Amino acid sequence: MVQVSVVGRSTILPIYALNTIRHPQCGLYVIGRNGYHQKLGVATITRRKIHSSSTRPSPPSEQPTLTAATHVDHLPTEVPGDSLPMAKSAPLSVLPLSTVLRNLATTSISCSPILLPPSLAIMNTLAHSNRAILSPDRNSLLRWFLKKTFYAQFCAGEDAPEVRRTIDGLKKIGFTGVILGYAREIVLTEAQTHNLSACEEGPVAEECVRNEIGPWAAGTLETVRLAQPGDFVALKFSGAGRQALYALKNRLPPPKHLRKAIDEICELAAERDVPLLFDAEQMAIQAGIDDWTLEYQRKYNTKTPGHAIIYGTYQAYLKSTPTTLASHLAIASKEGFTLGVKLVRGAYLGADPRHIIHDTKADTDNAYNGIAASLICRKWGPILNAPEPSLPFPRVSIVLGSHNLESVRRARAIRDSGEADRGTELAIAQLQGMADEVSCELVYAAKQCAGYVREKGDVPKAYKYIVWGTTGECMKYLLRRAYENRDAVARTKSGRDAMWAEVKRRFRTSLGLAA
């Protein structure tokens, strides 16, 4: 059984110098004083050689003609005063009171130096213990407690009816949809990275197919069936077990049984029009994931121009990401398919080598914001440079995963500016149970300013990333969320304060004291 190495995400929010502008129709909004693009404080960006595999076909010699903007020397650095509708007050009012109180309790524990360490120790024991009394799937009392608390905060449900109720509840609040994932996940330890084998023959291969690939495929197919058109499904290749990990580490094509499973998943997703987000993972296997992602994008992202079924995930905290993404955009441009891009800051700070990660959080923020601006405008820029002169920028579909309110506001400002390509699909997502103050601002803005925004382009599309599975299957996921809240102290405190302010606002309103 492969063990899980639990890692957290470092996304502590910086303090920004801000300007505030009021629009008569849509209230207050905020933009950064220093613009969107600053030079990264990095001496060199190392190119990952991710297209040298002999299994990759060569790109065709002829380039398709694209109608959108191609190469430019600049991107928007100022946001006009009428561009971004923002909520005037109380975005968290869209949440049920039970959700606000549970969120307040969770973030309060995560911020407490007294309560958090023992809570993490208990969750770590529950996530890795084989004893029946400590298994949520076998201990009914433990399962009941977890389902009413941490599980309810972060997870969708254990079966189809529960999952559908959760998704329907989020859409009733005002979310456009969800990014639904199956909870099964494996993260490599350093020792496992060096000791993998192919496992393609004999009893070991049968065991891998029966106990690893089979359950992963069945769970992922069920996830695609649970999702509805307009939703996304997150797919994590490492969950398929040892054969997948060995092939990815060595940049080999998917083994026979795994390829059959992936093909079946992609066919069902295309049939139901439910895009698949191939998750980024540790750098030990990321180049292999990139190879597989491009292979399936070539196959499935050509049917409807500008609409991707397969997305790759790009982590802005890696110094190599602008070069990597630019090379993928070049391939999409030359071969005529839509590149699906999910952009995140990064989730493996504790596992990836430190030297490949940006030196400061400000560098990561600059990279994230610069890449997002180029994608939204479909223009090369100072961060995302054109790999070749006069290379057309391809069609893209974008999912921005961010808990950073500043980055979300910047993305929305650019989207509503004249520089944006409003024909480009754009969704903005946060994890379920986290950053609700960011998510609900999107939902609230869409509700309050829907008519104004529609005249300019489109209503903000807010999504929640949420996993499903038994309580036991979700424990490792829950543990990762707990560590993430611990590492992002400033953001967690901000969330706690926002929830506490909302509780007080509702109390004053109930007494008739609110303005």
Side-chain angles (χ1 to χ4, degrees):
M1 183 94 176
V2 180
Q3 295 181 344
V4 173
S5 172
V6 179
V7 295
R9 185 182 314 192
S10 180
T11 52
I12 300 174
L13 293 178
I15 298 174
Y16 290 93
L18 302 175
N19 287 331
T20 58
I21 298 176
R22 184 173 298 276
H23 187 273
Q25 289 177 272
C26 297
L28 184 70
Y29 63 90
V30 185
I31 61 174
R33 238 178 230 155
N34 297 323
Y36 289 97
H37 304 291
Q38 302 173 26
K39 274 289 182 185
L40 297 186
V42 221
T44 305
I45 294 180
T46 303
R47 182 184 294 272
R48 284 194 296 172
K49 297 180 180 179
I50 61 173
H51 305 301
S52 58
S53 171
S54 60
T55 62
R56 289 247 162 263
S58 300
S61 57
E62 295 184 2
Q63 296 184 17
T65 300
L66 298 179
T67 58
T70 58
H71 180 80
V72 296
D73 295 323
H74 67 278
L75 286 167
T77 56
E78 298 293 338
V79 182
D82 63 347
S83 64
L84 178 57
M86 296 292 291
K88 289 185 179 180
S89 62
L92 291 171
S93 63
V94 301
L95 294 178
L97 179 60
S98 60
T99 300
V100 174
L101 294 175
R102 188 173 59 238
N103 211 323
L104 177 61
T106 302
T107 51
S108 296
I109 292 173
S110 298
C111 293
S112 170
I114 298 175
L115 297 177
L116 184 58
S119 299
L120 288 175
I122 292 170
M123 291 187 69
N124 188 60
T125 300
L126 296 176
H128 296 101
S129 175
N130 292 321
R131 298 175 61 185
I133 194 171
L134 297 178
S135 169
D137 290 337
R138 291 183 282 179
N139 183 328
S140 57
L141 182 61
L142 180 62
R143 175 176 172 271
W144 178 86
F145 173 77
L146 289 171
K147 280 206 69 174
K148 295 295 183 180
T149 53
F150 294 104
Y151 184 96
Q153 177 72 3
F154 298 105
C155 303
E158 294 190 289
D159 53 31
E162 288 185 5
V163 173
R164 291 194 178 99
R165 280 198 299 272
T166 301
I167 295 175
D168 290 344
L170 288 169
K171 291 182 177 180
K172 185 177 180 180
I173 289 172
F175 288 95
T176 306
V178 299
I179 300 172
L180 186 62
Y182 181 45
R184 182 184 180 90
E185 62 178 53
I186 298 173
V187 178
L188 290 173
T189 65
E190 185 174 352
Q192 290 160 354
T193 299
H194 292 292
N195 295 325
L196 287 172
S197 58
C199 304
E200 289 193 72
E201 297 180 358
V204 176
E206 295 176 4
E207 179 193 350
C208 286
V209 173
R210 182 175 62 253
N211 296 333
E212 297 172 8
I213 294 175
W216 173 82
T220 306
L221 285 167
E222 181 62 19
T223 306
V224 176
R225 295 187 189 101
L226 287 170
Q228 302 168 7
D231 294 334
F232 297 84
V233 165
L235 186 151
K236 202 175 187 74
F237 284 123
S238 64
R242 285 166 287 177
Q243 285 193 13
L245 296 173
Y246 179 83
L248 290 169
K249 180 190 173 187
N250 293 281
R251 300 189 63 181
L252 300 173
K256 177 178 61 176
H257 294 288
L258 181 57
R259 178 177 289 280
K260 180 180 178 183
I262 297 172
D263 288 345
E264 188 176 354
I265 292 165
C266 290
E267 286 294 334
L268 181 61
E271 177 186 324
R272 303 197 72 241
D273 195 21
V274 174
L276 298 174
L277 308 181
F278 290 179
D279 277 350
E281 305 195 41
Q282 290 167 279
M283 283 301 293
I285 59 175
Q286 186 57 47
I289 293 174
D290 289 341
D291 289 343
W292 292 8
T293 302
L294 285 172
E295 176 183 342
Y296 282 96
Q297 290 205 2
R298 287 182 174 100
K299 182 175 180 180
Y300 289 98
N301 289 4
T302 56
K303 183 177 180 181
T304 304
H307 177 59
I309 293 295
I310 307 297
Y311 286 68
T313 300
Y314 300 85
Q315 302 186 96
Y317 77 167
L318 297 174
K319 296 176 182 179
S320 61
T321 290
T323 305
T324 299
L325 178 54
S327 67
H328 293 182
L329 289 164
I331 292 172
S333 178
K334 294 173 183 178
E335 300 185 21
F337 63 87
T338 299
L339 193 74
V341 179
K342 174 188 166 190
L343 180 65
V344 298
R345 273 176 167 74
Y348 296 94
L349 186 60
D352 284 336
R354 184 63 186 88
H355 69 277
I356 69 174
I357 297 170
H358 283 304
D359 299 327
T360 67
K361 184 182 180 299
D363 288 343
T364 296
D365 290 339
N366 289 337
Y368 186 97
N369 294 332
I371 292 170
S374 282
L375 292 172
I376 294 169
C377 297
R378 283 184 63 200
K379 297 176 181 178
W380 305 108
I383 304 296
L384 195 59
N385 297 308
E388 304 170 18
S390 302
L391 180 72
F393 202 100
R395 295 181 179 89
V396 291
S397 295
I398 312 165
V399 173
L400 297 180
S402 180
H403 292 177
N404 186 310
L405 184 58
E406 174 72 8
S407 289
V408 171
R409 286 175 172 173
R410 289 186 179 209
R412 288 184 55 209
I414 296 172
R415 176 69 167 193
D416 287 337
S417 74
E419 298 290 336
D421 177 6
R422 297 215 187 98
T424 295
E425 295 178 322
L426 173 64
I428 304 175
Q430 292 79 39
L431 292 168
Q432 170 72 352
M434 298 174 68
D436 280 339
E437 67 278 12
V438 179
S439 304
C440 290
E441 183 173 287
L442 290 168
V443 171
Y444 194 87
K447 287 185 174 182
Q448 297 299 310
C449 301
Y452 172 74
V453 178
R454 283 196 183 95
E455 291 174 7
K456 296 184 66 61
D458 57 1
V459 172
K461 294 179 175 58
Y463 283 76
K464 278 295 191 181
Y465 183 113
I466 190 167
V467 303
W468 75 281
T470 68
T471 310
E473 287 174 332
C474 289
M475 281 308 302
K476 295 180 179 66
Y477 176 85
L478 292 173
L479 185 59
R480 289 181 65 188
R481 300 287 76 79
Y483 273 101
E484 184 171 342
N485 274 333
R486 179 201 65 178
D487 292 340
V489 178
R491 188 190 69 213
T492 305
K493 287 183 177 179
S494 175
R496 177 202 61 189
D497 294 344
M499 292 298 161
W500 180 235
E502 177 62 17
V503 170
K504 291 190 290 186
R505 186 196 68 80
R506 294 190 187 197
F507 179 71
R508 290 195 302 269
T509 299
S510 69
L511 298 178
L513 301 177

